[in-house]
Amino acid sequence: MTDLAIYDMDKTVTRRPTYTPFLIHCAMRRNPLRLVFFPLVILSMLAYVAKLIDRGTLKEINHRLLLGHRRSQAELKPLVDSFAEKTIAHNIRPGARAAIARDKAEGRMVVMATASYRFYAQEIGARMGFDHVIGTNTILGLDEEVHAKIDGQNCYGPAKMAMILDWESQSEIVRGHVRFYSDHVTDRPVFEWSDEPVAVNPHGKLEELAKEQGWRIEDWG
């Protein structure tokens, strides 16, 4: 049996979200003229808030606007690497570093499960010492180009739970004790599935739920 420690990334391991900053980072370094589309990014966010589009569609739109419809993996690699280094240097909660070290010392397999795109989250995860990264996948064409289109599900809410279970099955892991960390109430399915839910710097709704359910609450700075 394998004991697991599963972490959300944005605003759990990191202090701030990473998705839009990643796209801006890429646009600024590859083609700053793409920033002219930023007002359309704002409009797409407003459309999401108004429930005219879902989160997956929001991601695809913003990816296309700021990064382009297709980009080769070779072209993306230096952008992904520089963003990962920047994130590690300036956007990691001190408590996350301590928790990862503790979980590894306990012999747990340390896994990240994030709604962010896996192709850049896995580079952040590797630098943080994660054993595996589960995230939103993008379509990879036969031309080895990353497309502005989600492959499968956006790893968010109930879909994150399903993707963790799929990973568990495909990896042939026999589940032991599971500790789960997140900042957001949308991860409730994973909190309830885990043996040891930990609410990290929780927003209002999660803080209320954690207190109601008796889940541990931690401040990671």
Side-chain angles (χ1 to χ4, degrees), residues 53-111:
I53 59 174
D54 61 21
R55 290 179 69 92
T57 302
L58 174 67
K59 284 183 177 177
E60 292 173 347
I61 290 171
N62 291 344
H63 184 159
R64 191 172 292 111
L65 288 171
L66 295 178
L67 193 54
H69 179 61
R70 295 184 300 181
R71 289 287 172 263
S72 72
Q73 292 186 86
E75 186 180 11
L76 283 174
K77 185 172 182 357
L79 301 173
V80 168
D81 286 345
S82 59
F83 182 75
E85 293 293 342
K86 181 179 177 180
T87 300
I88 295 300
H90 304 294
N91 192 23
I92 301 296
R93 294 189 186 276
R97 297 182 190 274
I100 292 166
R102 178 192 64 210
D103 288 331
K104 282 185 164 292
E106 291 178 1
R108 293 178 181 273
M109 181 179 290
V110 181
V111 179

Side-chain angles (χ1 to χ4, degrees), residues 163-183:
M163 292 174 74
I164 289 171
L165 293 175
D166 285 347
W167 166 80
E168 184 182 44
S169 174
Q170 291 170 14
S171 300
E172 298 183 348
I173 289 172
V174 178
R175 168 190 164 167
H177 181 275
V178 177
R179 184 179 290 153
F180 177 64
Y181 307 93
S182 177
D183 73 293

Side-chain angles (χ1 to χ4, degrees), residues 7-181:
Y7 292 69
D8 173 52
M9 183 174 74
D10 288 350
K11 299 182 75 175
T12 301
V13 170
T14 65
R15 288 192 176 98
R16 299 175 297 280
T18 62
Y19 180 72
T20 301
F22 169 71
L23 295 179
I24 293 172
H25 174 90
C26 292
M28 288 181 67
R29 281 157 180 75
R30 187 189 172 278
N31 184 2
L33 290 177
R34 280 202 168 268
L35 294 176
V36 74
F37 295 122
F38 200 74
L40 296 179
V41 172
I42 299 298
L43 285 175
S44 70
M45 292 176 176
L46 292 174
Y48 168 71
V49 171
K51 299 186 177 181
L52 299 176
I53 59 174
D54 61 21
R55 290 179 69 92
T57 302
L58 174 67
K59 284 183 177 177
E60 292 173 347
I61 290 171
N62 291 344
H63 184 159
R64 191 172 292 111
L65 288 171
L66 295 178
L67 193 54
H69 179 61
R70 295 184 300 181
R71 289 287 172 263
S72 72
Q73 292 186 86
E75 186 180 11
L76 283 174
K77 185 172 182 357
L79 301 173
V80 168
D81 286 345
S82 59
F83 182 75
E85 293 293 342
K86 181 179 177 180
T87 300
I88 295 300
H90 304 294
N91 192 23
I92 301 296
R93 294 189 186 276
R97 297 182 190 274
I100 292 166
R102 178 192 64 210
D103 288 331
K104 282 185 164 292
E106 291 178 1
R108 293 178 181 273
M109 181 179 290
V110 181
V111 179
M112 180 187 290
T114 175
S116 292
Y117 279 152
R118 185 176 181 274
F119 73 83
Y120 78 80
Q122 66 186 355
E123 296 302 326
I124 297 171
R127 287 162 173 80
M128 292 292 296
F130 282 90
D131 298 303
H132 296 279
V133 174
I134 302 163
T136 301
N137 292 305
T138 50
I139 289 177
L140 184 64
L142 295 176
D143 50 11
E144 293 298 304
E145 289 187 323
V146 174
H147 293 237
K149 184 73 176 174
I150 290 174
D151 183 8
Q153 300 183 84
N154 182 36
C155 188
Y156 181 81
K160 181 182 286 189
M161 181 74 265
M163 292 174 74
I164 289 171
L165 293 175
D166 285 347
W167 166 80
E168 184 182 44
S169 174
Q170 291 170 14
S171 300
E172 298 183 348
I173 289 172
V174 178
R175 168 190 164 167
H177 181 275
V178 177
R179 184 179 290 153
F180 177 64
Y181 307 93

